[in-house]
Every structure is written in structure tokens, then in C-alpha cells.
Amino acid sequence: MIDHSSQQGVQQHTQLSKTKLLMKILFMTLGASLVAVGLEIFLVPNKIIDGGIVGISIIASALSSLPLGVYLVLFNLPFLYLGYKQIGKTFAFSTLFSVIIMSIGTSLLHPVAPLTLDPLLASVFGGIIIGVGVGLVIRSGGSLDGTEIVAILVSKKSPFSVGEIVMFFNLFILASAGFVFGWDHAMYSLMAYFIAFKMMDIIIEGFDESKSVWIISESYQAIGDIITARLGRGVTFLNGEGGFTGDSKRIIFCVINRLEEAKLKSIVEEVDPQAFLAIGNIHDVKGGRFNKKDIH
């Protein structure tokens, strides 16, 4: 006998998966297209480069007769293979799709006149648009730059972190712009890269940054009740043990946003000034009972 309720659940799950897949494709297409706009409408006409493979491609295109899109695909191919081996085929195919869209976008937009020839405006707005585009692609499971894949491999055999290696690569690439386009353009390139990096960070982590809170106090019940009443946040009580004394401890755990941090600190200070309080940033919160309740 066929369980129709189970079959319906499978069908709904399949449909949801297709919807998520279409949304990922949509956001990767939008993100890669935005990067193409930032490059061809703002940065490239003003001789400003971005970091990573994109920056190398801009320099190579300026020194040759081949269009930018050709180098974007050509230089990313070895990293796509590494990404396939190290991270997986889904990541590799997502990256390949995004790179192709970006490459096609730069080719289509190349004849379009730039919106500004002011390098400062180009750096700011080009950096913003590229940062948003790269952030959308990364949130969708892809990438537009192979240097991070190399950095992951190099970091396994060196004392440097992935971030330090990526920074070294990009500083070298951005400095190279000084020899090709002039040092003033290299400084504008550094500005555009910094703005793009910050915008990408905002898109990936979100504007509503969440924070995890850990509180150890003898007045855990009172603190937990007040957090729920005043902030509308659910709390979880965990069992712990002191490392020095061996005494049992009750630990309060909850998730808040950055606007609620000051109020939470005042609550803890009000109830137990001697309480241990630790607050850390977290990028994503899903599931559970972390949603904010109404405050009456």
C-alpha cells in the first residue's frame, strides 16, 4: 500500500528543492551581473582594478588585445578544478556558472559608456556594486575568485591563515596596478577593494547581525525571566561545572541582535553585578525558539 501522505511530503520536498535551486540560480545570475556592471561601467574605464583573479584579468586585458571576459574564464579554470577536488562539484558548477555570467556581462557592457570618469566616484560606487554582487554569489554557494581556493590549500602547509594569504595575494595584485596604470589608480583600486570587501561582508552576514550570549550567575532564574520579559527573547539553561572549584553551575544561553546588547548588559548588571557575561557575533540563526516574542 502506498502511503499518500508520505508521497505528498516527498513531492512537497522536491518542489521546495526546485524552488531553492531556482532562487540560487537567480541570485547567482543577479550577483554576477552586478559584478559585471561594477567592472565595465565603473572600474575598468577609470583604470581601477579589483583584487584576486578579477584584478589580474583587468591588468592582462589592458596589456593585450583580448577582452576582459576571456581572461575571467581562462584564469579561473585551474581554480575551478581545484574547487571541484577540494570542496565539491556543486561549488565548482556554481562557480563556473557565475564566472560565465560575469564574463558574458562584461562583454555585453564593454561598449556601454561609463557613468562617471571621476575615479573617486567610480571607486566608491563600483566597490559597492561589486561587493553586493560577490556577496550574493557567495550566499548562493558559488564564488567569483579562485584565490581563496589556493589560500585554503596553502594554509594547510604554512603557518598563515586563509585571510592572511588572500590579503597578501590582493596586496600584490593591487600594487601591480601601480606599475600598469599609475600609483594614483593603485590607491583608488585599494579603496574600491576595501569598499567591496565591506559590502560583501554585509551581504553575507546580513544587516541584522545576531549575537550569542553566555551568562553564569547564581541568579540565573531571575536574569532569564527578565530577559524574556524585557527583551522578548527565549533563554536556555545549561548545566556546567567550575574548572577550579568543581561546583555545578547554571549557564544562561540566548541570542539577541546588536541593538539589544546594551539593554541586556544593563539587565545583568542590575540583577547580579558579579555575573560572568560573554557576548560573541554569530552569522546565522535558524530553527529552535530564538525568534523574538512580543513585549507587553
Side-chain angles (χ1 to χ4, degrees), residues 53 75-89 91-92 95 145-154 156 169:
I53 300 302
F75 289 157
N76 270 296
L77 285 178
F79 304 110
L80 287 171
Y81 177 76
L82 290 175
Y84 178 83
K85 290 293 185 181
Q86 296 295 322
I87 303 177
K89 63 180 182 180
F91 171 80
T95 301
D145 197 315
T147 54
E148 290 187 1
I149 301 173
V150 176
I152 293 172
L153 299 177
V154 175
K156 294 179 179 179
F169 283 159

PDB file of all heavy atoms in Angstrom, residues 53 75-89 91-92 95 145-154 156 169:
ATOM      1  N   ILE A  53      41.512  37.222  -8.952  1.00  0.00           N
ATOM      2  CA  ILE A  53      41.575  36.872 -10.371  1.00  0.00           C
ATOM      3  C   ILE A  53      40.992  37.986 -11.233  1.00  0.00           C
ATOM      4  O   ILE A  53      41.459  38.223 -12.356  1.00  0.00           O
ATOM      5  CB  ILE A  53      40.817  35.548 -10.628  1.00  0.00           C
ATOM      6  CG1 ILE A  53      41.450  34.412  -9.821  1.00  0.00           C
ATOM      7  CG2 ILE A  53      40.833  35.209 -12.110  1.00  0.00           C
ATOM      8  CD1 ILE A  53      42.915  34.188 -10.126  1.00  0.00           C
ATOM      9  N   PHE A  75      41.505  32.384 -16.589  1.00  0.00           N
ATOM     10  CA  PHE A  75      42.280  32.360 -15.341  1.00  0.00           C
ATOM     11  C   PHE A  75      41.570  31.605 -14.217  1.00  0.00           C
ATOM     12  O   PHE A  75      42.217  31.149 -13.269  1.00  0.00           O
ATOM     13  CB  PHE A  75      42.590  33.789 -14.887  1.00  0.00           C
ATOM     14  CG  PHE A  75      43.601  34.486 -15.739  1.00  0.00           C
ATOM     15  CD1 PHE A  75      43.657  35.873 -15.791  1.00  0.00           C
ATOM     16  CD2 PHE A  75      44.504  33.775 -16.517  1.00  0.00           C
ATOM     17  CE1 PHE A  75      44.589  36.535 -16.569  1.00  0.00           C
ATOM     18  CE2 PHE A  75      45.441  34.410 -17.314  1.00  0.00           C
ATOM     19  CZ  PHE A  75      45.489  35.789 -17.345  1.00  0.00           C
ATOM     20  N   ASN A  76      40.251  31.496 -14.317  1.00  0.00           N
ATOM     21  CA  ASN A  76      39.509  30.803 -13.259  1.00  0.00           C
ATOM     22  C   ASN A  76      39.433  29.293 -13.468  1.00  0.00           C
ATOM     23  O   ASN A  76      39.107  28.563 -12.525  1.00  0.00           O
ATOM     24  CB  ASN A  76      38.086  31.365 -13.157  1.00  0.00           C
ATOM     25  CG  ASN A  76      37.986  32.520 -12.190  1.00  0.00           C
ATOM     26  OD1 ASN A  76      38.203  32.364 -10.990  1.00  0.00           O
ATOM     27  ND2 ASN A  76      37.662  33.691 -12.710  1.00  0.00           N
ATOM     28  N   LEU A  77      39.720  28.814 -14.669  1.00  0.00           N
ATOM     29  CA  LEU A  77      39.586  27.383 -14.957  1.00  0.00           C
ATOM     30  C   LEU A  77      40.430  26.494 -14.041  1.00  0.00           C
ATOM     31  O   LEU A  77      39.930  25.492 -13.508  1.00  0.00           O
ATOM     32  CB  LEU A  77      39.925  27.114 -16.430  1.00  0.00           C
ATOM     33  CG  LEU A  77      38.869  27.538 -17.447  1.00  0.00           C
ATOM     34  CD1 LEU A  77      39.348  27.260 -18.872  1.00  0.00           C
ATOM     35  CD2 LEU A  77      37.547  26.820 -17.176  1.00  0.00           C
ATOM     36  N   PRO A  78      41.729  26.802 -13.814  1.00  0.00           N
ATOM     37  CA  PRO A  78      42.507  25.945 -12.895  1.00  0.00           C
ATOM     38  C   PRO A  78      41.935  25.912 -11.488  1.00  0.00           C
ATOM     39  O   PRO A  78      41.958  24.871 -10.825  1.00  0.00           O
ATOM     40  CB  PRO A  78      43.899  26.588 -12.913  1.00  0.00           C
ATOM     41  CG  PRO A  78      43.944  27.399 -14.160  1.00  0.00           C
ATOM     42  CD  PRO A  78      42.552  27.877 -14.386  1.00  0.00           C
ATOM     43  N   PHE A  79      41.389  27.028 -11.036  1.00  0.00           N
ATOM     44  CA  PHE A  79      40.841  27.093  -9.685  1.00  0.00           C
ATOM     45  C   PHE A  79      39.504  26.357  -9.593  1.00  0.00           C
ATOM     46  O   PHE A  79      39.136  25.872  -8.526  1.00  0.00           O
ATOM     47  CB  PHE A  79      40.685  28.549  -9.251  1.00  0.00           C
ATOM     48  CG  PHE A  79      41.963  29.327  -9.324  1.00  0.00           C
ATOM     49  CD1 PHE A  79      42.146  30.311 -10.272  1.00  0.00           C
ATOM     50  CD2 PHE A  79      43.013  29.057  -8.456  1.00  0.00           C
ATOM     51  CE1 PHE A  79      43.328  31.019 -10.341  1.00  0.00           C
ATOM     52  CE2 PHE A  79      44.198  29.757  -8.525  1.00  0.00           C
ATOM     53  CZ  PHE A  79      44.359  30.748  -9.476  1.00  0.00           C
ATOM     54  N   LEU A  80      38.788  26.317 -10.717  1.00  0.00           N
ATOM     55  CA  LEU A  80      37.555  25.542 -10.746  1.00  0.00           C
ATOM     56  C   LEU A  80      37.850  24.055 -10.550  1.00  0.00           C
ATOM     57  O   LEU A  80      37.119  23.349  -9.847  1.00  0.00           O
ATOM     58  CB  LEU A  80      36.826  25.760 -12.078  1.00  0.00           C
ATOM     59  CG  LEU A  80      36.144  27.112 -12.256  1.00  0.00           C
ATOM     60  CD1 LEU A  80      35.646  27.271 -13.689  1.00  0.00           C
ATOM     61  CD2 LEU A  80      34.991  27.241 -11.281  1.00  0.00           C
ATOM     62  N   TYR A  81      38.926  23.593 -11.140  1.00  0.00           N
ATOM     63  CA  TYR A  81      39.328  22.193 -10.970  1.00  0.00           C
ATOM     64  C   TYR A  81      39.716  21.920  -9.519  1.00  0.00           C
ATOM     65  O   TYR A  81      39.321  20.904  -8.931  1.00  0.00           O
ATOM     66  CB  TYR A  81      40.500  21.869 -11.898  1.00  0.00           C
ATOM     67  CG  TYR A  81      41.027  20.459 -11.733  1.00  0.00           C
ATOM     68  CD1 TYR A  81      40.334  19.372 -12.270  1.00  0.00           C
ATOM     69  CD2 TYR A  81      42.202  20.215 -11.027  1.00  0.00           C
ATOM     70  CE1 TYR A  81      40.806  18.085 -12.117  1.00  0.00           C
ATOM     71  CE2 TYR A  81      42.688  18.934 -10.870  1.00  0.00           C
ATOM     72  CZ  TYR A  81      41.986  17.865 -11.407  1.00  0.00           C
ATOM     73  OH  TYR A  81      42.458  16.590 -11.245  1.00  0.00           O
ATOM     74  N   LEU A  82      40.472  22.845  -8.931  1.00  0.00           N
ATOM     75  CA  LEU A  82      40.848  22.695  -7.519  1.00  0.00           C
ATOM     76  C   LEU A  82      39.609  22.728  -6.619  1.00  0.00           C
ATOM     77  O   LEU A  82      39.509  21.967  -5.658  1.00  0.00           O
ATOM     78  CB  LEU A  82      41.811  23.810  -7.109  1.00  0.00           C
ATOM     79  CG  LEU A  82      43.221  23.754  -7.692  1.00  0.00           C
ATOM     80  CD1 LEU A  82      44.015  24.982  -7.282  1.00  0.00           C
ATOM     81  CD2 LEU A  82      43.939  22.482  -7.235  1.00  0.00           C
ATOM     82  N   GLY A  83      38.672  23.628  -6.934  1.00  0.00           N
ATOM     83  CA  GLY A  83      37.445  23.705  -6.160  1.00  0.00           C
ATOM     84  C   GLY A  83      36.625  22.432  -6.261  1.00  0.00           C
ATOM     85  O   GLY A  83      36.022  21.990  -5.284  1.00  0.00           O
ATOM     86  N   TYR A  84      36.622  21.828  -7.439  1.00  0.00           N
ATOM     87  CA  TYR A  84      35.907  20.556  -7.636  1.00  0.00           C
ATOM     88  C   TYR A  84      36.517  19.458  -6.770  1.00  0.00           C
ATOM     89  O   TYR A  84      35.805  18.654  -6.162  1.00  0.00           O
ATOM     90  CB  TYR A  84      35.957  20.168  -9.112  1.00  0.00           C
ATOM     91  CG  TYR A  84      35.286  18.852  -9.422  1.00  0.00           C
ATOM     92  CD1 TYR A  84      33.910  18.791  -9.620  1.00  0.00           C
ATOM     93  CD2 TYR A  84      36.020  17.675  -9.522  1.00  0.00           C
ATOM     94  CE1 TYR A  84      33.276  17.591  -9.911  1.00  0.00           C
ATOM     95  CE2 TYR A  84      35.394  16.465  -9.811  1.00  0.00           C
ATOM     96  CZ  TYR A  84      34.031  16.436 -10.003  1.00  0.00           C
ATOM     97  OH  TYR A  84      33.404  15.249 -10.266  1.00  0.00           O
ATOM     98  N   LYS A  85      37.836  19.426  -6.690  1.00  0.00           N
ATOM     99  CA  LYS A  85      38.529  18.396  -5.918  1.00  0.00           C
ATOM    100  C   LYS A  85      38.450  18.641  -4.420  1.00  0.00           C
ATOM    101  O   LYS A  85      38.323  17.701  -3.624  1.00  0.00           O
ATOM    102  CB  LYS A  85      40.003  18.323  -6.347  1.00  0.00           C
ATOM    103  CG  LYS A  85      40.225  17.766  -7.748  1.00  0.00           C
ATOM    104  CD  LYS A  85      39.839  16.302  -7.810  1.00  0.00           C
ATOM    105  CE  LYS A  85      40.159  15.706  -9.164  1.00  0.00           C
ATOM    106  NZ  LYS A  85      39.760  14.260  -9.244  1.00  0.00           N
ATOM    107  N   GLN A  86      38.560  19.902  -4.004  1.00  0.00           N
ATOM    108  CA  GLN A  86      38.682  20.221  -2.584  1.00  0.00           C
ATOM    109  C   GLN A  86      37.343  20.490  -1.897  1.00  0.00           C
ATOM    110  O   GLN A  86      37.181  20.198  -0.716  1.00  0.00           O
ATOM    111  CB  GLN A  86      39.597  21.444  -2.401  1.00  0.00           C
ATOM    112  CG  GLN A  86      41.024  21.207  -2.854  1.00  0.00           C
ATOM    113  CD  GLN A  86      41.741  20.161  -2.010  1.00  0.00           C
ATOM    114  OE1 GLN A  86      41.548  20.099  -0.800  1.00  0.00           O
ATOM    115  NE2 GLN A  86      42.572  19.351  -2.649  1.00  0.00           N
ATOM    116  N   ILE A  87      36.383  21.075  -2.608  1.00  0.00           N
ATOM    117  CA  ILE A  87      35.130  21.495  -1.981  1.00  0.00           C
ATOM    118  C   ILE A  87      33.935  20.691  -2.485  1.00  0.00           C
ATOM    119  O   ILE A  87      33.048  20.360  -1.715  1.00  0.00           O
ATOM    120  CB  ILE A  87      34.906  23.003  -2.210  1.00  0.00           C
ATOM    121  CG1 ILE A  87      36.097  23.797  -1.652  1.00  0.00           C
ATOM    122  CG2 ILE A  87      33.613  23.466  -1.552  1.00  0.00           C
ATOM    123  CD1 ILE A  87      36.018  25.282  -1.880  1.00  0.00           C
ATOM    124  N   GLY A  88      33.923  20.367  -3.778  1.00  0.00           N
ATOM    125  CA  GLY A  88      32.826  19.560  -4.305  1.00  0.00           C
ATOM    126  C   GLY A  88      32.314  20.071  -5.633  1.00  0.00           C
ATOM    127  O   GLY A  88      32.564  21.199  -6.034  1.00  0.00           O
ATOM    128  N   LYS A  89      31.569  19.217  -6.314  1.00  0.00           N
ATOM    129  CA  LYS A  89      31.120  19.560  -7.658  1.00  0.00           C
ATOM    130  C   LYS A  89      30.039  20.635  -7.650  1.00  0.00           C
ATOM    131  O   LYS A  89      29.946  21.426  -8.580  1.00  0.00           O
ATOM    132  CB  LYS A  89      30.627  18.313  -8.390  1.00  0.00           C
ATOM    133  CG  LYS A  89      29.411  17.645  -7.759  1.00  0.00           C
ATOM    134  CD  LYS A  89      29.004  16.423  -8.581  1.00  0.00           C
ATOM    135  CE  LYS A  89      27.762  15.752  -7.993  1.00  0.00           C
ATOM    136  NZ  LYS A  89      27.365  14.556  -8.789  1.00  0.00           N
ATOM    137  N   PHE A  91      29.839  23.232  -5.662  1.00  0.00           N
ATOM    138  CA  PHE A  91      30.548  24.508  -5.582  1.00  0.00           C
ATOM    139  C   PHE A  91      31.216  24.837  -6.919  1.00  0.00           C
ATOM    140  O   PHE A  91      31.162  25.984  -7.383  1.00  0.00           O
ATOM    141  CB  PHE A  91      31.601  24.448  -4.479  1.00  0.00           C
ATOM    142  CG  PHE A  91      32.538  25.625  -4.455  1.00  0.00           C
ATOM    143  CD1 PHE A  91      32.154  26.825  -3.875  1.00  0.00           C
ATOM    144  CD2 PHE A  91      33.796  25.536  -5.024  1.00  0.00           C
ATOM    145  CE1 PHE A  91      33.023  27.911  -3.865  1.00  0.00           C
ATOM    146  CE2 PHE A  91      34.666  26.617  -5.008  1.00  0.00           C
ATOM    147  CZ  PHE A  91      34.282  27.800  -4.431  1.00  0.00           C
ATOM    148  N   ALA A  92      31.843  23.840  -7.535  1.00  0.00           N
ATOM    149  CA  ALA A  92      32.548  24.071  -8.801  1.00  0.00           C
ATOM    150  C   ALA A  92      31.589  24.491  -9.905  1.00  0.00           C
ATOM    151  O   ALA A  92      31.861  25.442 -10.644  1.00  0.00           O
ATOM    152  CB  ALA A  92      33.302  22.808  -9.211  1.00  0.00           C
ATOM    153  N   THR A  95      30.282  27.991  -9.231  1.00  0.00           N
ATOM    154  CA  THR A  95      31.317  28.977  -9.551  1.00  0.00           C
ATOM    155  C   THR A  95      31.465  29.146 -11.055  1.00  0.00           C
ATOM    156  O   THR A  95      31.578  30.272 -11.562  1.00  0.00           O
ATOM    157  CB  THR A  95      32.659  28.563  -8.933  1.00  0.00           C
ATOM    158  OG1 THR A  95      32.507  28.452  -7.507  1.00  0.00           O
ATOM    159  CG2 THR A  95      33.747  29.578  -9.246  1.00  0.00           C
ATOM    160  N   ASP A 145      36.109  34.132  -7.492  1.00  0.00           N
ATOM    161  CA  ASP A 145      37.551  34.341  -7.358  1.00  0.00           C
ATOM    162  C   ASP A 145      38.211  33.053  -6.872  1.00  0.00           C
ATOM    163  O   ASP A 145      37.806  32.500  -5.845  1.00  0.00           O
ATOM    164  CB  ASP A 145      37.825  35.477  -6.370  1.00  0.00           C
ATOM    165  CG  ASP A 145      39.245  36.011  -6.491  1.00  0.00           C
ATOM    166  OD1 ASP A 145      40.164  35.191  -6.573  1.00  0.00           O
ATOM    167  OD2 ASP A 145      39.424  37.243  -6.503  1.00  0.00           O
ATOM    168  N   GLY A 146      39.232  32.598  -7.601  1.00  0.00           N
ATOM    169  CA  GLY A 146      39.906  31.355  -7.245  1.00  0.00           C
ATOM    170  C   GLY A 146      41.011  31.495  -6.226  1.00  0.00           C
ATOM    171  O   GLY A 146      41.548  30.481  -5.759  1.00  0.00           O
ATOM    172  N   THR A 147      41.367  32.718  -5.848  1.00  0.00           N
ATOM    173  CA  THR A 147      42.486  32.883  -4.915  1.00  0.00           C
ATOM    174  C   THR A 147      42.169  32.299  -3.540  1.00  0.00           C
ATOM    175  O   THR A 147      43.073  31.844  -2.840  1.00  0.00           O
ATOM    176  CB  THR A 147      42.857  34.369  -4.760  1.00  0.00           C
ATOM    177  OG1 THR A 147      41.682  35.113  -4.398  1.00  0.00           O
ATOM    178  CG2 THR A 147      43.411  34.925  -6.050  1.00  0.00           C
ATOM    179  N   GLU A 148      40.892  32.307  -3.142  1.00  0.00           N
ATOM    180  CA  GLU A 148      40.543  31.743  -1.846  1.00  0.00           C
ATOM    181  C   GLU A 148      40.757  30.238  -1.824  1.00  0.00           C
ATOM    182  O   GLU A 148      41.131  29.669  -0.795  1.00  0.00           O
ATOM    183  CB  GLU A 148      39.088  32.081  -1.503  1.00  0.00           C
ATOM    184  CG  GLU A 148      38.870  33.556  -1.193  1.00  0.00           C
ATOM    185  CD  GLU A 148      37.463  33.831  -0.702  1.00  0.00           C
ATOM    186  OE1 GLU A 148      36.687  32.863  -0.587  1.00  0.00           O
ATOM    187  OE2 GLU A 148      37.147  35.001  -0.424  1.00  0.00           O
ATOM    188  N   ILE A 149      40.510  29.579  -2.944  1.00  0.00           N
ATOM    189  CA  ILE A 149      40.741  28.138  -3.016  1.00  0.00           C
ATOM    190  C   ILE A 149      42.226  27.842  -2.854  1.00  0.00           C
ATOM    191  O   ILE A 149      42.622  26.925  -2.120  1.00  0.00           O
ATOM    192  CB  ILE A 149      40.220  27.580  -4.355  1.00  0.00           C
ATOM    193  CG1 ILE A 149      38.720  27.875  -4.494  1.00  0.00           C
ATOM    194  CG2 ILE A 149      40.481  26.083  -4.459  1.00  0.00           C
ATOM    195  CD1 ILE A 149      38.146  27.524  -5.839  1.00  0.00           C
ATOM    196  N   VAL A 150      43.067  28.627  -3.521  1.00  0.00           N
ATOM    197  CA  VAL A 150      44.510  28.461  -3.380  1.00  0.00           C
ATOM    198  C   VAL A 150      44.946  28.735  -1.951  1.00  0.00           C
ATOM    199  O   VAL A 150      45.785  28.030  -1.379  1.00  0.00           O
ATOM    200  CB  VAL A 150      45.267  29.397  -4.351  1.00  0.00           C
ATOM    201  CG1 VAL A 150      46.759  29.303  -4.135  1.00  0.00           C
ATOM    202  CG2 VAL A 150      44.924  29.057  -5.788  1.00  0.00           C
ATOM    203  N   ALA A 151      44.338  29.770  -1.350  1.00  0.00           N
ATOM    204  CA  ALA A 151      44.688  30.124   0.024  1.00  0.00           C
ATOM    205  C   ALA A 151      44.368  28.984   0.991  1.00  0.00           C
ATOM    206  O   ALA A 151      45.120  28.730   1.940  1.00  0.00           O
ATOM    207  CB  ALA A 151      43.944  31.395   0.432  1.00  0.00           C
ATOM    208  N   ILE A 152      43.258  28.294   0.756  1.00  0.00           N
ATOM    209  CA  ILE A 152      42.903  27.151   1.608  1.00  0.00           C
ATOM    210  C   ILE A 152      43.956  26.055   1.512  1.00  0.00           C
ATOM    211  O   ILE A 152      44.375  25.470   2.524  1.00  0.00           O
ATOM    212  CB  ILE A 152      41.516  26.610   1.213  1.00  0.00           C
ATOM    213  CG1 ILE A 152      40.428  27.630   1.547  1.00  0.00           C
ATOM    214  CG2 ILE A 152      41.222  25.293   1.920  1.00  0.00           C
ATOM    215  CD1 ILE A 152      39.055  27.277   1.030  1.00  0.00           C
ATOM    216  N   LEU A 153      44.432  25.784   0.305  1.00  0.00           N
ATOM    217  CA  LEU A 153      45.446  24.750   0.111  1.00  0.00           C
ATOM    218  C   LEU A 153      46.779  25.151   0.710  1.00  0.00           C
ATOM    219  O   LEU A 153      47.450  24.345   1.369  1.00  0.00           O
ATOM    220  CB  LEU A 153      45.601  24.448  -1.389  1.00  0.00           C
ATOM    221  CG  LEU A 153      44.356  23.921  -2.115  1.00  0.00           C
ATOM    222  CD1 LEU A 153      44.639  23.739  -3.598  1.00  0.00           C
ATOM    223  CD2 LEU A 153      43.904  22.617  -1.499  1.00  0.00           C
ATOM    224  N   VAL A 154      47.171  26.421   0.497  1.00  0.00           N
ATOM    225  CA  VAL A 154      48.456  26.896   1.014  1.00  0.00           C
ATOM    226  C   VAL A 154      48.453  26.945   2.536  1.00  0.00           C
ATOM    227  O   VAL A 154      49.455  26.624   3.189  1.00  0.00           O
ATOM    228  CB  VAL A 154      48.793  28.284   0.428  1.00  0.00           C
ATOM    229  CG1 VAL A 154      50.064  28.843   1.064  1.00  0.00           C
ATOM    230  CG2 VAL A 154      48.970  28.193  -1.086  1.00  0.00           C
ATOM    231  N   LYS A 156      47.138  25.011   4.616  1.00  0.00           N
ATOM    232  CA  LYS A 156      47.331  23.696   5.226  1.00  0.00           C
ATOM    233  C   LYS A 156      48.808  23.347   5.391  1.00  0.00           C
ATOM    234  O   LYS A 156      49.159  22.500   6.224  1.00  0.00           O
ATOM    235  CB  LYS A 156      46.639  22.621   4.372  1.00  0.00           C
ATOM    236  CG  LYS A 156      45.119  22.751   4.336  1.00  0.00           C
ATOM    237  CD  LYS A 156      44.504  21.683   3.456  1.00  0.00           C
ATOM    238  CE  LYS A 156      42.986  21.804   3.429  1.00  0.00           C
ATOM    239  NZ  LYS A 156      42.348  20.780   2.562  1.00  0.00           N
ATOM    240  N   PHE A 169      47.940  38.060  -1.453  1.00  0.00           N
ATOM    241  CA  PHE A 169      47.702  37.985  -2.894  1.00  0.00           C
ATOM    242  C   PHE A 169      47.138  39.298  -3.421  1.00  0.00           C
ATOM    243  O   PHE A 169      47.599  39.840  -4.429  1.00  0.00           O
ATOM    244  CB  PHE A 169      46.715  36.845  -3.214  1.00  0.00           C
ATOM    245  CG  PHE A 169      47.326  35.478  -3.160  1.00  0.00           C
ATOM    246  CD1 PHE A 169      46.536  34.348  -2.985  1.00  0.00           C
ATOM    247  CD2 PHE A 169      48.696  35.308  -3.285  1.00  0.00           C
ATOM    248  CE1 PHE A 169      47.093  33.085  -2.934  1.00  0.00           C
ATOM    249  CE2 PHE A 169      49.271  34.052  -3.233  1.00  0.00           C
ATOM    250  CZ  PHE A 169      48.459  32.930  -3.058  1.00  0.00           C
TER     251      PHE A 169
END
